[in-house]
Amino acid sequence: MSAVPIIEVDGVTMRFGGLVAVNDVSLMVDQGSITAVIGPNGAGKTTLFNAITGVYDPSAGRVLIAGKETVVPLDAKAWWSFAVFGISSAFLAAVFLHAEGLWLHAVTENYEYLKPFPWMKGIMDAAAYVIAHGGWAALVGGILGAAGRFAIWSRTRRTPEIVAESGVARTFQNIRLFPELSLAENVMVGMDRRMRAGFCASLLRLPSASLERRHAREEAARLIEFVGLGTKIDALARSLPYGHQRRLEIARALASRPSVVLLDEPAAGMNPTETVELMELIRRIQSTRTTVVLIEHHMRVVMGISEKIAVLDHGEKIAQGNPTEIRNDPRCIEAYLGKEDLG
Amino acid sequence: MSQSPSTVHRPAGLLSRGQCILFGALLALPLLELVFDLGISAPTRFVLGFAIVGIGLNVVVGFTGLLHLGIAAFMAIGAYAFAILTCTIYPFQIGFWPGLLAALLIGAVAGAFLGAPTLRLRGDYLAIVTLGFGEIVQDLLKNLELITKGTQGINPLPTPWFFGATFASDTPKSWYFLYLGILLACTMLVRNLEHSRIGRQWFAVREDELAARCMAIRPDRVKLTALAVGAGLAAVGGALLASLISSTGEPGNYDFQISILALCIVIVGGIGSLTGVIVGALVMVGMNSILLPMLGQKLQQAGIGTTTSVYLAPDNYKYLLFGLALVLMMRFKPKGIVAAKEEDH
């Protein structure tokens, strides 16, 4: 087991207006482990998951994935995108403000009746005209374009897609499958991170794209079988019963070959048999060297499979330890387990 | 693995069964005319042009789930780009096919330029922006008189040629086959996209944007691709329709009504289904430019004059019929005549 924790939550606070949903929570998840986050309803568990996966930007604190902060760096690519937006909006502004002059100068003046249009000269004249007359428009347009791009870039430095790109996959508390897509397609969307087929290959159905699709379908079929959904890979996702939808979501999350998968109440709405099968599945996921973090209310699942448990209550972490420690922690019993004992 | 390889590897054919039947029927239509003198292959060319616009809009509305109310703007951009680059009163005169290709590219770039700043808008807000864009393009074309001839429209436009044969206006059948061929090519290419990684990304963003993002899909890039493809195809459709009447018509022709007609084609035919869109074009445009004029002619021949009473001109009922079609579809077949997924493979 490597020394760097796969997820390190460092003093994360989530504020929504006056409401503090998560307050200064720190959490380490070791590579290859099964960690559970438990707590009463409204304790901030799902909010913490959302902060980890980039759905929310933490109000304070930071989240490290494999020791790295998952934000878009201010690198050459970022500067390039500012430049592209700036230049194209400068170009648009200059051309639109001087459209008629440009047309007269570059097209009408270069045209001789019954002779082919001199394209090179026309383009050169157009460029010269824009440089001579469009300076102010281009400057203002360029600054607006580049600044707009910068504003969007700086507001979306930590987004779900960037966190997912770094190998974090998740499921949702209220299942979020793609209902009108088939089982196979749902799982193949999960594989998208690893797929390379571009627009032209897809448009012309080049052999590379067909081959990739074929392999993806094979792998999707394997994954669907792995989570125990059998062989009907072309049925629509919405036709599945509730418990099976949860498993399909897990298959979709695994399809990206994540280094860590976050399961938000995977056993919700499952009957006892299904719950046992789910525990088996989570152990099998761990055996593929994928780290598992789960939010769960079924104590049997939590105590049965997790190596480490963190307890949240009212947005604060009140305890952390292995199942035995948690079972005997007075604060946890008071906040959470106690109720179950009485009930 | 208990699965037989044949069920796992089921590559989508070049056309679905429904599409094969549809294109077979469209191919046979002019043959029918050899026997019966219907005179419908000429107006059916308009159906084919609108079907291409519908396929483009279907990529945006049906596949990616973005409500687009300004597709007519891209038809206008396509028609004007095609006209300026090919018409004999302009210096460029690059010919029919290069003009069509240029219309496609210019339309796609315009779609991307509209898309880039609006990608973060959702649902109704995007609809409002596209609506506004539709109006702006009309005004732009009207007011850039020096370039676009203002409200006159640009004419004449070149007729298409194919393998050395130039089509004259009195040979509607050869035009018909050519346009059918272009529609077939568009259908096949968009079908390739539909069944590829790109299509899957479109669907994922339509079904659940947050879930798609958590699977490392970048919704802005995905939406931009869809808007560019949709706008490019609408531009091709606009150019073909303009070439058909040898004029772009005035900019005001590309108004909100046309955008709504295109949207009706998609919704009535079956949102998200390529076969459905072509059927929708046949129903909506067929009613508009074949059935109603024919009915009017028949009424006139029967002596029930149309010149005296506006109530007796069937053409005046077209928007009533559009509305009726929409209401009936929503009540009895909300997924359209050909529901998506039923026609797959």
Side-chain angles (χ1 to χ4, degrees):
Chain A
M1 211 170 280
S2 133
V4 182
I6 188 76
I7 296 180
E8 184 181 348
V9 178
D10 182 15
V12 162
T13 300
M14 278 301 317
R15 273 185 225 101
F16 298 97
L19 178 80
V20 182
V22 173
N23 190 9
D24 195 23
V25 169
S26 296
L27 182 70
M28 299 267 198
V29 177
D30 293 324
Q31 264 175 35
S33 68
I34 298 181
T35 304
V37 178
I38 63 171
N41 286 326
K45 306 181 294 292
T46 297
T47 310
L48 181 67
F49 264 32
N50 283 341
I52 292 173
T53 53
V55 177
Y56 298 144
D57 212 13
S59 316
R62 51 193 197 136
V63 179
L64 305 181
I65 310 291
K68 277 187 283 236
E69 228 174 327
T70 43
V71 291
V72 183
L74 185 62
D75 57 1
K77 214 175 136 193
W79 285 110
W80 169 246
S81 80
F82 306 152
V84 166
F85 270 74
I87 291 167
S88 47
S89 52
F91 173 77
L92 275 181
V95 167
F96 271 105
L97 278 179
H98 299 281
E100 299 208 322
L102 198 61
W103 180 267
L104 275 177
H105 194 76
V107 178
T108 315
E109 284 180 13
N110 280 328
Y111 178 45
E112 283 175 64
Y113 186 61
L114 286 183
K115 276 194 184 162
F117 185 70
W119 282 98
M120 276 317 288
K121 189 167 184 306
I123 292 169
M124 297 306 278
D125 284 358
Y129 186 85
V130 168
I131 291 166
H133 296 85
W136 280 108
L139 191 68
V140 173
I143 289 172
L144 279 180
R149 177 68 198 146
F150 177 76
I152 288 173
W153 175 86
S154 64
R155 278 168 50 189
T156 55
R157 290 190 70 181
R158 190 169 192 279
T159 54
E161 51 269 36
I162 287 150
V163 176
E165 198 62 55
S166 68
V168 179
R170 71 171 292 182
T171 67
F172 296 88
Q173 186 178 9
N174 45 346
I175 301 173
R176 302 189 78 135
L177 285 167
F178 308 120
E180 297 290 328
L181 298 189
S182 71
L183 270 65
E185 283 169 318
N186 265 280
V187 176
M188 282 156 85
V189 170
M191 285 175 210
D192 195 81
R193 176 165 88 100
R194 298 184 283 122
M195 294 175 87
R196 290 290 163 263
F199 183 80
C200 290
S202 303
L203 182 72
L204 302 172
R205 206 186 280 202
L206 296 183
S208 64
S210 302
L211 193 70
E212 189 180 71
R213 182 170 185 272
R214 206 180 136 131
H215 288 318
R217 254 181 90 84
E218 275 171 9
E219 201 183 324
R222 272 200 300 275
L223 267 168
I224 289 166
E225 196 146 292
F226 177 80
V227 298
L229 287 182
T231 55
K232 279 183 169 175
I233 65 171
D234 283 312
L236 290 191
R238 71 175 151 83
S239 70
L240 287 180
Y242 192 76
H244 289 190
Q245 291 196 3
R246 288 217 171 275
R247 287 197 217 173
L248 181 60
E249 235 196 344
I250 295 174
R252 184 180 69 182
L254 293 179
S256 64
R257 291 213 191 123
S259 45
V260 51
V261 50
L262 282 71
L263 308 176
D264 198 342
E265 295 199 26
M270 284 190 175
N271 65 34
T273 329
E274 285 176 325
T275 311
V276 173
E277 283 170 5
L278 177 78
M279 288 165 66
E280 183 53 39
L281 174 62
I282 292 175
R283 284 207 193 91
R284 272 189 292 148
I285 294 171
Q286 187 197 21
S287 71
T288 63
R289 283 184 293 174
T290 306
T291 312
V292 179
V293 185
L294 72 155
I295 292 175
E296 195 42 75
H297 284 299
H298 280 56
M299 277 308 132
R300 222 160 62 118
V301 177
V302 173
M303 295 299 170
I305 58 171
S306 23
E307 294 154 11
K308 203 164 86 173
I309 300 174
V311 188
L312 292 188
D313 190 21
H314 295 294
E316 290 180 34
K317 191 171 85 173
I318 56 171
Q320 182 175 346
N322 63 37
T324 328
E325 287 166 2
I326 295 298
R327 210 177 270 136
N328 299 322
D329 189 297
R331 287 184 69 191
C332 300
I333 294 168
E334 187 194 321
Y336 193 55
L337 300 180
K339 284 181 209 159
E340 200 164 71
D341 286 346
L342 288 172
Chain B
M1 230 163 63
S2 59
Q3 224 142 7
S4 69
S6 61
T7 56
V8 176
H9 301 136
R10 207 176 52 169
L14 287 176
L15 286 177
S16 72
R17 199 179 305 141
Q19 283 156 5
C20 289
I21 295 169
L22 192 59
F23 275 102
L26 285 171
L27 206 59
L29 189 74
L31 297 179
L32 206 67
E33 270 193 336
L34 293 177
V35 188
F36 309 101
D37 183 26
L38 295 168
I40 55 172
S41 65
T44 309
R45 294 175 301 175
F46 289 97
V47 174
L48 301 177
F50 270 105
I52 294 174
V53 176
I55 287 175
L57 187 63
N58 184 47
V59 168
V60 180
V61 180
F63 290 170
T64 322
L66 307 170
L67 183 53
H68 198 305
L69 296 179
I71 202 74
F74 296 106
M75 291 171 68
I77 288 171
Y80 271 88
F82 176 77
I84 289 173
L85 288 170
T86 58
C87 178
T88 45
I89 59 170
Y90 287 93
F92 309 110
Q93 297 168 26
I94 61 174
F96 180 81
W97 291 104
L100 205 58
L101 188 68
L104 171 72
L105 294 178
I106 291 171
V109 169
F113 268 118
L114 168 69
T118 57
L119 287 171
R120 283 174 178 76
L121 301 176
R122 273 161 220 265
D124 307 351
Y125 300 100
L126 183 76
I128 292 168
V129 170
T130 51
L131 186 68
F133 187 73
E135 300 301 310
I136 290 171
V137 167
Q138 284 177 53
D139 282 345
L140 204 64
L141 292 173
K142 232 174 266 176
N143 290 305
L144 281 176
E145 259 180 82
L146 189 70
I147 304 173
T148 63
K149 308 282 175 251
T151 50
Q152 296 171 29
I154 300 169
N155 60 65
L157 299 186
T159 53
W161 53 265
F162 197 61
F163 284 115
T166 305
F167 299 169
S169 51
D170 57 348
T171 56
K173 282 207 185 76
S174 37
W175 283 53
Y176 176 87
F177 285 122
L178 182 76
Y179 278 26
L180 188 62
I182 298 173
L183 175 64
L184 181 67
C186 291
T187 310
M188 277 161 62
L189 290 176
V190 173
R191 185 174 156 79
N192 281 351
L193 285 178
E194 183 190 357
H195 290 279
S196 71
R197 179 178 174 221
I198 303 290
R200 208 156 43 237
Q201 291 175 336
W202 288 340
F203 295 141
V205 167
R206 177 192 70 192
E207 296 285 304
D208 192 324
E209 191 171 328
L210 181 65
R213 295 176 74 189
C214 288
M215 296 289 118
I217 286 173
R218 295 168 181 232
D220 39 4
R221 216 174 269 184
V222 172
K223 289 180 189 172
L224 206 58
T225 321
L227 285 172
V229 169
L233 285 173
V236 168
L240 289 178
L241 289 169
S243 166
L244 212 50
I245 55 171
S246 193
S247 165
T248 58
E250 66 142 337
N253 286 354
Y254 302 91
D255 61 356
F256 186 55
Q257 306 279 16
I258 298 291
S259 296
I260 291 298
L261 175 64
L263 204 59
C264 285
I265 287 172
V266 173
I267 292 170
V268 169
I271 194 159
S273 152
L274 288 176
T275 321
V277 171
I278 301 170
V279 172
L282 277 168
V283 172
M284 302 300 289
V285 185
M287 184 167 75
N288 194 6
S289 53
I290 304 175
L291 228 51
L292 293 180
M294 210 188 256
L295 196 64
Q297 225 175 4
K298 287 272 161 9
L299 281 180
Q300 216 159 18
Q301 281 167 4
I304 310 166
T306 55
T307 43
T308 47
S309 169
V310 287
Y311 298 108
L312 286 173
D315 211 30
N316 292 342
Y317 290 98
K318 70 180 174 194
Y319 290 119
L320 182 75
L321 291 172
F322 283 181
L324 196 66
L326 270 188
V327 172
L328 289 177
M329 288 310 293
M330 287 299 116
R331 170 64 186 84
F332 293 106
K333 235 171 171 314
K335 285 187 166 181
I337 298 171
V338 184
K341 282 289 163 194
E342 280 173 22
E343 51 101 33
D344 233 27
H345 296 289

